[in-house]
Amino acid sequence: MKKNIIVRHIVIISGLFVLLLFIWRCPLEYLFGIPCPCCGMTRAFKSMARLDFAASFSYHPLFLPTGFAIWYIFHKDVLPERFRLKKKTARILGGVLLFLLLALYIYRVGFQPDGVIKIDLDDGLIFKIMRAIQGG
Ligand SMILES: [Zn+2]
């Protein structure tokens, strides 16, 4: 059981490391030029690693609850019973977080208060390929 957990952590952490090193950009933004509701999260966590919480918050105000939710999803099975959320509580909190992520996304796309979330269709790979095919 313990060995299994260690292996799981090594796989996930090295997977994230490879993603960060080689992909760097959000796949949705890379392909279509449209940022996703979690865009800015990586920069938020990198800023947090430098203890720059103001920058973290400006990159993605929901980086902490989202990070905790992801951590919880992967660790709930190995947490002691008293630290586990009841199923109903977890569903409600997850729903609230999804709603907040979506509301924040609509606000950031609509008003672009911080410049982190920008729709730039011309920058998407799909449109670059289409332009190349058209020869323009
Ligand atoms: Zn994204």
Side-chain angles (χ1 to χ4, degrees):
M1 185 70 180
K2 277 242 171 8
K3 197 177 157 195
N4 205 356
I5 292 168
I6 292 167
V7 168
R8 199 202 274 188
H9 276 88
I10 290 171
V11 168
I12 290 170
I13 290 169
S14 42
L16 286 174
F17 192 70
V18 167
L19 277 178
L20 281 179
L21 266 185
F22 297 106
I23 296 180
W24 282 113
R25 290 185 64 183
C26 168
L28 200 68
E29 189 179 33
Y30 179 69
L31 286 177
F32 302 105
I34 302 169
C36 77
C38 287
C39 271
M41 208 67 87
T42 309
R43 285 168 281 177
F45 279 105
K46 278 160 83 181
S47 299
M48 191 181 77
R50 292 191 306 266
L51 302 177
D52 188 352
F53 291 100
S56 286
F57 196 77
S58 72
Y59 282 128
H60 205 299
L62 294 171
F63 77 104
L64 275 182
T66 308
F68 177 75
I70 292 167
W71 179 87
Y72 181 78
I73 287 168
F74 283 110
H75 292 86
K76 66 176 189 284
D77 297 335
V78 294
L79 282 174
E81 191 73 50
R82 66 194 154 157
F83 292 121
R84 282 186 223 163
L85 296 170
K86 288 193 177 99
K87 217 171 197 163
K88 194 175 176 191
T89 311
R91 278 196 185 141
I92 290 170
L93 288 176
V96 168
L97 181 60
L98 284 179
F99 173 78
L100 288 175
L101 279 170
L102 209 64
L104 179 69
Y105 180 62
I106 290 167
Y107 171 70
R108 289 172 106 192
V109 166
F111 298 98
Q112 304 202 358
D114 44 28
V116 175
I117 298 282
K118 283 189 290 240
I119 292 181
D120 185 2
L121 296 178
D122 286 339
D123 198 35
L125 184 65
I126 300 292
F127 290 90
K128 284 178 186 166
I129 291 171
M130 281 168 53
R131 270 198 309 275
I133 290 171
Q134 288 172 346

